[in-house]
Amino acid sequence: MEGRKPTIGVVPSGCERPRGRPFPPGVSGNPKGRPKGARNKTTLIAEALRSGEEAALTRDIVERALHGDAVALRVCLDRLLPRRRDRRVQFELPELAVGDVVEASRAVLAACADGTLSPREATDVMGLVASHVRAAEVSDLRARRTQLEPERKA
C-alpha cells in the first residue's frame, strides 16, 4: 500500500466531498460543456426586467436624478449626453509643400483663435500637417537619390 498515490476523486473516509480536483486532467464533470447560445443568468434577469418596462424604468431613474441621487444623475448624463466624439472640421489650409509648414501653422492657429478649432483639434491637425510634411520630405529625398544614382554608376 505504501507508495501508491490516492485515486483522484476518491472521497477520503469521513468526508462528504472529494478533496482536490475530483476529475482527472482532460476530463470534466460536464463533457459537452455549456451549450452554444446559453446566456448568463444576469442577462436573462435584465431582459426580463426590461421587457415592457423601459419607459417606467427610465422615468424612475430620471425622477431619482431630479431628487438628487448622484448615481442616477450620472446614469442620465451618460445616456442622454454621451461623451463628445471627434467631429469634422472645415477651415482654410494653404497648399502644403516642404517649406510651407509655418504658413500651415499660422492657418491652424488662426482657426483655433477664432473658435473654428478647439485646442485639441488644432493639435491633431498640426500632427497631420507634420506627417504630411515628413512624407513630402521623404518623397523629395527619394527623387534626389534617383537623380544622383545614375551619375554614380557612370
Side-chain angles (χ1 to χ4, degrees), residues 26-150:
V27 178
S28 78
N30 183 6
K32 290 185 178 180
R34 186 175 184 160
K36 290 191 180 203
R39 297 162 77 197
N40 289 332
K41 290 178 184 177
T42 306
T43 304
L44 295 173
I45 291 170
E47 284 181 356
L49 283 174
R50 278 200 279 178
S51 62
E53 298 296 324
E54 293 94 352
L57 289 171
T58 303
R59 187 73 231 147
D60 183 49
I61 203 90
V62 168
E63 287 294 327
R64 289 179 184 211
L66 291 173
H67 290 337
D69 185 336
V71 174
L73 181 59
R74 186 178 314 127
V75 167
C76 287
L77 290 176
D78 285 346
R79 298 291 184 252
L80 298 174
L81 302 170
R83 290 191 175 98
R84 187 173 166 194
R85 297 181 183 207
D86 290 342
R87 64 182 178 100
R88 298 171 83 200
V89 293
Q90 294 180 348
F91 64 98
E92 293 295 321
L93 189 63
E95 188 69 31
L96 290 176
V98 174
D100 297 336
V101 179
V102 175
E103 194 62 35
S105 178
R106 276 194 197 116
V108 171
L109 287 173
C112 184
D114 71 13
T116 305
L117 294 176
S118 70
R120 180 183 174 115
E121 291 166 339
T123 302
D124 291 345
V125 170
M126 279 308 299
L128 292 172
V129 168
S131 295
H132 176 75
V133 169
R134 279 192 302 274
E137 287 172 344
V138 168
S139 177
D140 189 40
L141 287 173
R142 282 187 182 158
R144 287 182 189 179
R145 190 178 86 195
T146 56
Q147 286 175 352
L148 292 175
E149 283 183 359

